[in-house]
Structure formats: C-alpha cells, structure tokens
Amino acid sequence: MTYRRGALIVLEGVDKAGKTTQCKKLVQALQQSGRPAEMMRFPDRTTKIGQLISSYLERKSNLEDHTVHLLFSANRWELVPEIKEKLEQGISLVVDRYAFSGVAFTSAKPGFSLDWCKSPDVGLPKPDLVMFLKLSPSEAEGRGEFGTERYETTVFQRTVQSRFEQLMKDPSVNWQVIDAARTIEDVHTDIKEHTVNAINKVEEQPLGELWK
Ligand code: FDM
C-alpha cells in the first residue's frame, strides 16, 4: 500500500457564514465515502489555554489585547503534535477557523498590523486548502441577531471581513472563495469537491509551514 498523509483543510469566514455546519457536513461526507476525517475547531476551548480564551470571549474576564492574541496562537501550537500525528495516520482534518481568524480578528482592533498579528503563527502546519465562506455583511445581518460574545457586532465584523480580504491576496496560501449565500446543500457540494481534490493531491506533497 502506498503511504498517504491526510489533508489539512480549513474553513474560514465571518460569523454566520455557516462554517460550523459545513465542517460537520464535510466530515460526515468524507467518512461516508471511506476517507478518514475528523473535525477540529479553534479556539479549542477544552484545554487550559482554551478555557482562558473562552472566559474572555464570554466577557467573564478581561485580557490585554496582545496577550489574548498570543493565547489564541498558543492554543493552536499546543495542538500541533496532535495535528501532525493525525495527518501522518492518513486522517484528513477539517478545521473550523485557524490562524487566519487569529490575524483577521486581532488586526481589526486599533493599532495592530497584519505583520505583527501573523508572527506568532509563522511555521504552523500549513493548510493544504483554505476555503473562505464569503457572505456580504448585509447578508450576514439578514441571518439574524449576533450573539452576546465579544466581537459579535456588525461594525467589528465588517472590519474583520476587510482583513480577511487582505489575507486572501497572499498567493502562498491555497485560498478558495466559496459563495456562502447559497443553500446549505449547494455550498456543501462545492466545498466537498474542493476538498476531495485537495485530499487526492497531497499524496505527493509534504506538509508545509505557514507564512514561511
Ligand atoms: N477568534 C478565533 C480570534 O479572535 N482569534 C483566533 O485566533 C480565533 C481562532 O474567537 F469571534 C475569534 C473569532 C470568534 C471567536 O468564536 C470564536 P467561535 O464561535 O468559537 O468560532
């Protein structure tokens, strides 16, 4: 049998674009077609670092802006051994948010450059495919009220969207923009096709390092 690593697949997008729904459907579809796959999400609120982040997002605690940015990054780094192990075992990972959310959200705050925000995540396992679920701010607003967590406001989300657009100009990352304004099934079909292509392609490629 030939050796095949799993693919690292990331879904990004602004709130209400349907990332979590699509990640779950994608993992299910991959498993049903006989491709080993698991879901991960960031922040992973189950670790000690994740609990600090969760309490900050729920507004139960305050953290200084640089500090929380570094905690989000540390939360990814602490899971790198697990990510590498799974990929080596041939399991594809479908990840709900990654370093791109990290950069887009912090750099939407005043005084944070894209470069400063990227630096702690330089060298993370590089996703083989990053799908950006694109939804205009007005379409997102039409999907109902935001929740009560930090960052869940229209004004902030608009800035986040423009930071994502800056990040998507980087050709070193395999971005695919997905129109998320369609039905769940149509979006899923599109996402699955891109993913299966990526899974088939990574066989010949070693795992890369992000932004390096
Ligand atoms: N978020 C998420 C960040 O600010 N930085 C990060 O690195 C990541 C991964 O946390 F508002 C923000 C994005 C969102 C919140 O929400 C997490 P969900 O609902 O758990 O995805």
Side-chain angles (χ1 to χ4, degrees), residues 132 161 163-171 175 177:
F132 182 78
Q161 170 104 10
R163 296 297 179 265
F164 271 123
E165 271 154 24
Q166 277 173 276
L167 286 172
M168 281 190 276
K169 290 183 187 149
D170 173 3
W175 286 100
V177 179

Side-chain angles (χ1 to χ4, degrees), residues 41-43 45 57 72 76 97-98 101-102 105 150-151:
R41 67 178 311 151
F42 289 110
R45 302 188 192 213
L57 288 171
F72 273 112
R76 285 182 277 282
R97 297 191 191 278
Y98 200 55
S101 275
F105 279 75
R150 235 179 258 265
Y151 307 147

Side-chain angles (χ1 to χ4, degrees), residues 14-156:
V14 288
D15 282 21
K16 302 203 182 290
K19 287 183 299 298
T20 307
T21 305
Q22 292 296 338
C23 282
K24 288 182 183 158
K25 272 184 85 72
L26 179 58
V27 170
Q28 245 179 9
L30 292 173
Q31 289 172 345
Q32 278 165 9
S33 65
R35 298 175 179 93
E38 288 180 19
M39 182 171 162
M40 287 183 100
R41 67 178 311 151
F42 289 110
D44 178 336
R45 302 188 192 213
T46 65
T47 69
K48 284 194 182 120
I49 294 169
Q51 283 160 21
L52 292 174
I53 295 170
S54 187
S55 149
Y56 169 82
L57 288 171
E58 291 169 12
R59 301 178 195 273
K60 290 180 182 156
S61 65
N62 278 321
L63 288 166
E64 192 275 330
D65 288 330
H66 300 79
T67 311
V68 76
H69 182 73
L70 296 173
L71 287 176
F72 273 112
S73 176
N75 184 230
R76 285 182 277 282
W77 281 108
E78 68 178 333
L79 284 150
V80 166
E82 189 179 322
I83 292 175
K84 288 189 170 166
E85 229 167 81
K86 302 255 178 188
L87 295 176
E88 276 163 23
Q89 289 167 2
I91 301 167
S92 288
L93 295 174
V94 174
V95 187
D96 187 349
R97 297 191 191 278
Y98 200 55
F100 314 99
S101 275
V103 175
F105 279 75
T106 302
S107 68
K109 297 178 177 180
F112 284 87
S113 72
L114 227 51
D115 277 347
W116 188 87
C117 293
K118 281 162 87 172
S119 52
D121 285 317
V122 169
L124 277 178
K126 182 175 172 174
D128 298 295
L129 169 65
V130 188
M131 288 176 282
F132 182 78
L133 271 57
K134 194 176 166 78
L135 196 65
S136 72
S138 56
E139 283 162 332
E141 281 154 36
R143 291 189 175 186
E145 296 292 303
F146 282 118
T148 54
E149 284 207 332
R150 235 179 258 265
Y151 307 147
E152 295 185 331
T153 67
T154 306
V155 177
F156 195 75

Side-chain angles (χ1 to χ4, degrees), residues 167-207:
L167 286 172
M168 281 190 276
K169 290 183 187 149
D170 173 3
S172 78
V173 173
N174 180 16
W175 286 100
Q176 290 293 335
V177 179
I178 307 289
D179 174 8
R182 298 168 295 165
T183 65
I184 292 178
E185 281 310 320
D186 283 354
V187 176
H188 170 67
T189 305
D190 205 358
I191 285 178
K192 192 179 168 205
E193 192 181 321
H194 285 296
T195 303
V196 169
N197 289 341
I199 290 176
N200 291 337
K201 222 169 107 186
V202 299
E203 191 179 13
E204 311 112 47
Q205 297 169 351
L207 183 63

